[in-house]
Amino acid sequence: MSEVAVETAAPATSGPRWLLRALLTRVDLKTRLSLFIGLLLGVVLLLAVYAVLGNSKRAVQGEIDAVMRLATNLLDDQAIPAEATDQNLLPVLLSVFDHTRHLCVERGPADAAPNPRGCPAAIDDSVPDWFIAQVTTAPRELRIALPAQGGERRPVIVRSDPADEILEAWNEARPLLLLIVAIGFLTNAIVVFSVWRALKPIDLIRDALSGIGRGELHPGLPKATTPELKTIIDGVVELGLNLEQARSDNQRLLRHSLEVQERERRAIARELHDEIGQSLAAMDAEAALLHQKVGSAIPELSVRTQGIRAGIATLYDGLHLLLARLRPAGLDEFGLGPTLESLVADWSGRCPQIRFEVRIEIERIAGESLVQVYLYRIAQEALINATRHARARRISVMLCEDVNRAVHLRISDDGCGLPAALRFNDAAEARRRAKPDGERIGLGLLGMIERAETLGASLAIDSLPGEGTTISLRLPQQDEA
């Protein structure tokens, strides 16, 4: 059985059509409509010019045909009487032709009175060459034999001379051509201006949609000038309202989730402190009592009881660190400022190779207690990232207020910096980058973003490779709790 090869034509990726399609995709609607209207008006303009030139050519042709028919009729051998073949009537007639428009007589070299203006005459210099080329017709001529002395006859040529008619046609066509060009350009300018003005709201709508993508849910929108634009503008407004409602619902759910998380952390911290902490304390007391009673009698048992107590102390230190992560001690009693100082002091003890700098200008943040908890969590996560991943030698923590009583929290280091995918100026930009494509934002940074959004604060990360990282948070003035 023979096989039949079926070849599928691949879509063309080059050629005039592909190039035209690629260019059109880069041209906006206003420019595309303006080009189309300009091209259409250009075609109409060319047709009008062609019509004027055609009329001029027909006028020149008609005049030349008429005068040549007249000359032919006058010089017809049958129309001239026999007695006119002498040297009287025919030379007079040719002399008349010399002074007739659109005709000229070319005599032989023996003629004593050649035509002074040339045959045919030169066309006036004011007439452009392109017009002459368009309206000039094929030359016409009549050849006759003029009687001469001695019974000889010498040839004489009567030629068509369109110079005057071409000049007249140009003087008549020039105002029309200028008027056509002026009307064409004026019409094109008016139409293009009208198109650009009518479609200008589309640019504002596009900017509004871009603003919505950046989180500006109430962008300035133009007034609707047509029913179609009114539908689009109403849709954009409704989209902004729906996104605002969705953002509000999301923030409310996020706030509730974080509140539940903090309550769970507090409950777990309380259980760990009450249950495990007390159990470790009881185990340590039993080991101490056992060592006191039998340790001196049995040296091996004394060593083991000391090891048990050391293990219990290690577990207790780990429990203390875990409790500090779950619920910062002293935050409700002393406020955010002293608690941050305690946090930095704790990290300084664990990381002696890093120099920590602290600048705390406020102790307690106005508002509900969760505000302080969220700010503490953001600073805590920033310090964890700086000490574990940045390879920093210096870390600074600043907490202060500006003249508008807005709270500023800044944690900076001189470490290796972050890649460009993890730098952002606002939470909306950070959320766009937290998508599966590309380099994802980690859970730590995502938690910082969520807490900043819940507080209504602005969070930004400024970093350059090899030049460190700065995490800045600005919290507007809070009402007193």
Side-chain angles (χ1 to χ4, degrees), residues 115-187:
N115 194 328
R117 61 173 182 169
C119 185
I123 301 176
D124 193 277
D125 294 337
S126 63
V127 183
D129 293 339
W130 61 267
F131 184 82
I132 296 174
Q134 291 294 325
V135 302
T136 299
T137 61
R140 305 278 298 278
E141 62 183 33
L142 292 175
R143 295 179 179 269
I144 62 174
L146 185 66
Q149 293 179 355
E152 296 180 358
R153 305 177 74 88
R154 57 186 178 86
V156 176
I157 303 175
V158 179
R159 298 182 183 276
S160 63
D161 187 1
D164 292 340
E165 186 63 27
I166 290 177
L167 177 60
E168 184 178 344
W170 168 247
N171 290 333
E172 292 178 357
R174 180 174 56 184
L176 291 176
L177 293 176
L178 293 176
L179 181 62
I180 290 172
V181 173
I183 291 176
F185 278 105
L186 183 61
T187 304

Side-chain angles (χ1 to χ4, degrees), residues 24 77 124 313 353 369 458:
L24 289 178
D77 290 339
D124 193 277
Q353 75 279 7
S369 60
S458 59

